[in-house]
Amino acid sequence: MNAGTKLSRRLANWSHLLLAGHLLMLHALAFGGWQIPAVRLLWVAALGLFLIWQPFVAGERRISVRQGAVLFAAVLVSTWFIGPWLLLIWCGALAAAIGGRVLWTERRGERAGYLLAFGYLVGVTVFGVVPEVSSAVALDPLPRNIIAYYMPFILPLLLVFPARAPQRRAGDAFDLFYGILVFLVLAVFVLGALAYMLVGGVSYVESLFKTSLTVAAALLVVAWAWNPRAGFSGIGSAMSRYMLSVGMPLEQWLVQLSEESERQVDPASFLRAVMLRLQGMPWVRGVSWAVGGKPGQSGQQTAHRHVYQANDFELAVYFRLAPSPSMRWHVEWLLRLTAEFYLVKRQAHDLQRMSYLQAVYETGARVTHDVKNLLQSMQGLCYAAAQPGDPAQLAGLLGRQLPQITERLKVTLEKLQSPQAESGECVPAALWWSQLQDRYADASIVWHGQSGAESMVPLGLFDSVAENLLQNALAKRQRQAGLGIIVDFADSILTVVDDGSPIAPDVVGRLLREPVSSHDGLGIGLYHAVRQAEAAGYCLALLENRPGRVAFSLSVRH
């Protein structure tokens, strides 16, 4: 760190001392000193103090030779042409700088010091600079010489109020909007006093008094309208909504996000398209994003950027110039909305993938259950073939059962080849009813009812439900000897009843709603059968569950 930087930082700790020195030199120039060539040189020193005090650019920053030459030329030209009008404009600009600085000051003492400096500057303007503009402006009956002599004794009071070193980063020490507002109010006050003096034909002092009352009343009304307490939001709310829409209204950005969300299916493509749209803003030079360790970039990266990080992704916007706090807040909301849309898009993509995996799982579970039923049927045939008996009767049994087992195997393979689609083939109810009786002809099952020849039933659904219910009942018979099984089929309503013990209450609450672990085999097969029935417009339900009667029914859903 060089000596100039150390000196600059030490002087920055005496912010009010620098301001007091600048105001003292400005006072000397305003009260007639600008007409004396020797006193004009104070303008150079006053500009030097202002450059150290100003809240816009850090005093430690090095300037190039070209910038130094331009600054030196500006100082020489302003010193040569200094006059009342230049001093009047400078006082307005300095008042705007002080007014914009007050709003960023949190400590009460420091704020009081800036308000004192602002009041002193207004006094220099109305008592010193404005009377120098025209000889018609006179302070009579106020003694201008006495005011010019004793006003500087107020400046040492600035040293009573301590001030921190200015924080000059991204405009954090100055509010441009309020600075411009202060400049305009001061201009209205000065020009209004001159206009009232000339039009009303009154003295300058009287015009100052009446103009100050008018401006104060107007500011009071504006202050009330800015944040009223009469039930409506006020000008401040409207202005805040406008400032939140700098460069791009939030509503327009939401529309663009919705358009890209409908257009792009992949979340990564959606994020890239949205960031490219954001790059099209006039105040954006480039954008970058990183999701899951996969970075992306478009445009040019600059030193001024705003980054939004959440979970496993990062979004960044690079600005042409250093953004103000309000602009950063605005961009923060744009990026937050982008992140929320991206998360929703990614969750929808994950849900779609999980739905596909679930469909594959459920199809595999149904196929596994169908294969188990086929294996049980084949075991029954093998057992029947191993028993002694009439060969002709055995051949007839095999002739009836083997074609049906082959057809069922074919349907199972079709499910594996197209897991998303269920077979919607319908067959006459009478044909299906007779084939079901043939398959379980040796299972000691009581068959009741019949169906009309014209009614049709979905083959895959009725086969799956009947196989599940009958296999579960036969498995229950192995645990409960002598269990009776009755199958009733009438008007396309299938009912399977057994006279054994009821299903446990803790199982009933979950049966048909979720996979149930049970030694009777009443779990996953029935769960998938219910889903299959719902897809076909049918309903599988537990009609009765009491000792001596447990009944399941498959019927058309109403």
Side-chain angles (χ1 to χ4, degrees), residues 391-513:
Q393 185 178 4
L394 177 62
L397 175 65
L398 294 176
R400 293 191 306 270
Q401 295 292 335
L402 288 178
Q404 295 186 16
I405 293 177
T406 302
E407 184 65 23
R408 291 164 61 190
L409 280 174
K410 179 181 177 182
V411 173
T412 302
L413 290 176
E414 290 178 353
K415 292 181 181 180
L416 286 176
Q417 293 174 356
S418 56
Q420 296 288 353
E422 289 287 347
S423 176
E425 179 185 0
C426 292
V427 298
L431 176 62
W432 176 83
W433 177 243
S434 62
Q435 291 178 350
L436 180 65
Q437 294 182 64
D438 290 341
R439 287 201 300 267
Y440 290 93
D442 299 329
S444 300
I445 297 176
V446 179
W447 308 92
H448 287 166
Q450 59 182 1
S451 180
E454 296 181 358
S455 60
M456 306 289 288
V457 294
L459 177 62
L461 172 63
F462 272 72
D463 274 346
S464 178
V465 172
E467 291 289 342
N468 276 284
L469 295 177
L470 291 177
Q471 290 296 336
N472 290 337
L474 293 174
K476 187 176 181 180
R477 175 184 286 177
Q478 294 179 1
R479 295 189 305 105
Q480 302 177 18
L483 180 73
I485 303 175
I486 302 175
V487 180
D488 181 54
F489 184 63
D491 298 328
S492 300
I493 300 177
L494 176 66
T495 305
V496 178
V497 184
D498 70 74
D499 57 2
S501 59
I503 303 174
D506 59 330
V507 177
V508 172
R510 296 180 290 123
L511 189 66
L512 305 180
R513 295 181 177 86

Side-chain angles (χ1 to χ4, degrees), residues 202-481:
V202 297
S203 65
Y204 177 64
V205 176
E206 183 180 354
S207 66
L208 281 178
F209 178 74
K210 293 182 177 180
T211 305
S212 62
L213 292 180
T214 304
V215 172
L219 291 177
L220 181 62
V221 173
V222 171
W224 177 84
W226 189 269
N227 188 20
R229 303 183 184 275
F232 60 95
S233 58
I235 301 176
S237 178
M239 184 62 68
S240 298
R241 288 195 296 268
Y242 174 77
M243 295 303 293
L244 284 177
S245 302
V246 176
M248 173 184 292
L250 294 180
E251 295 84 357
Q252 182 181 353
W253 182 241
L254 287 174
V255 170
Q256 295 187 11
L257 289 176
S258 300
E259 291 177 354
E260 292 297 341
S261 179
E262 295 176 358
R263 188 177 305 166
Q264 304 292 339
V265 178
D266 182 59
S269 301
F270 164 77
L271 184 61
R272 182 179 183 276
V274 169
M275 295 302 290
L276 290 179
R277 283 206 176 192
L278 189 59
Q279 186 189 352
M281 296 299 99
W283 34 268
V284 177
R285 180 64 64 87
V287 293
S288 65
W289 61 94
V291 180
K294 297 180 179 180
Q297 178 184 344
S298 179
Q300 179 181 356
Q301 294 186 357
T302 62
H304 311 295
R305 70 168 186 166
H306 183 81
V307 180
Y308 175 77
Q309 294 181 341
N311 298 330
D312 61 338
F313 64 92
E314 176 183 296
L315 308 178
V317 176
Y318 297 89
F319 302 92
R320 296 180 181 273
L321 302 174
S324 63
S326 59
M327 176 62 72
R328 286 186 178 274
W329 193 43
H330 178 72
V331 174
E332 176 75 12
W333 275 107
L334 296 183
L335 295 180
R336 280 179 180 270
L337 290 174
T338 302
E340 292 299 327
F341 269 78
Y342 170 76
L343 290 176
V344 171
K345 197 76 175 177
R346 190 170 65 179
Q347 290 174 0
H349 183 74
D350 293 341
L351 288 176
Q352 184 179 8
R353 184 179 58 183
M354 292 176 62
S355 298
Y356 176 78
L357 294 178
Q358 183 178 4
V360 173
Y361 159 73
E362 291 180 355
T363 302
R366 288 197 299 268
V367 169
T368 301
H369 201 272
D370 292 343
V371 170
K372 183 196 73 172
N373 293 336
L374 288 172
L375 181 61
Q376 290 176 348
S377 300
M378 295 185 67
Q379 287 176 347
L381 289 178
C382 293
Y383 176 78
Q387 300 299 320
D390 186 4
Q393 185 178 4
L394 177 62
L397 175 65
L398 294 176
R400 293 191 306 270
Q401 295 292 335
L402 288 178
Q404 295 186 16
I405 293 177
T406 302
E407 184 65 23
R408 291 164 61 190
L409 280 174
K410 179 181 177 182
V411 173
T412 302
L413 290 176
E414 290 178 353
K415 292 181 181 180
L416 286 176
Q417 293 174 356
S418 56
Q420 296 288 353
E422 289 287 347
S423 176
E425 179 185 0
C426 292
V427 298
L431 176 62
W432 176 83
W433 177 243
S434 62
Q435 291 178 350
L436 180 65
Q437 294 182 64
D438 290 341
R439 287 201 300 267
Y440 290 93
D442 299 329
S444 300
I445 297 176
V446 179
W447 308 92
H448 287 166
Q450 59 182 1
S451 180
E454 296 181 358
S455 60
M456 306 289 288
V457 294
L459 177 62
L461 172 63
F462 272 72
D463 274 346
S464 178
V465 172
E467 291 289 342
N468 276 284
L469 295 177
L470 291 177
Q471 290 296 336
N472 290 337
L474 293 174
K476 187 176 181 180
R477 175 184 286 177
Q478 294 179 1
R479 295 189 305 105
Q480 302 177 18

Side-chain angles (χ1 to χ4, degrees), residues 50-98:
F50 175 79
L51 290 176
I52 301 176
W53 173 86
Q54 50 82 28
F56 308 104
V57 182
E60 306 88 13
R61 182 177 179 180
R62 292 180 177 272
I63 61 176
S64 63
V65 178
R66 180 180 179 182
Q67 293 173 341
V70 172
L71 181 61
F72 182 71
V75 170
L76 290 182
V77 172
S78 61
T79 305
W80 181 265
F81 291 101
I82 192 171
W85 287 106
L86 179 59
L87 290 175
L88 186 61
I89 296 175
W90 179 257
C91 288
L94 183 60
I98 296 176

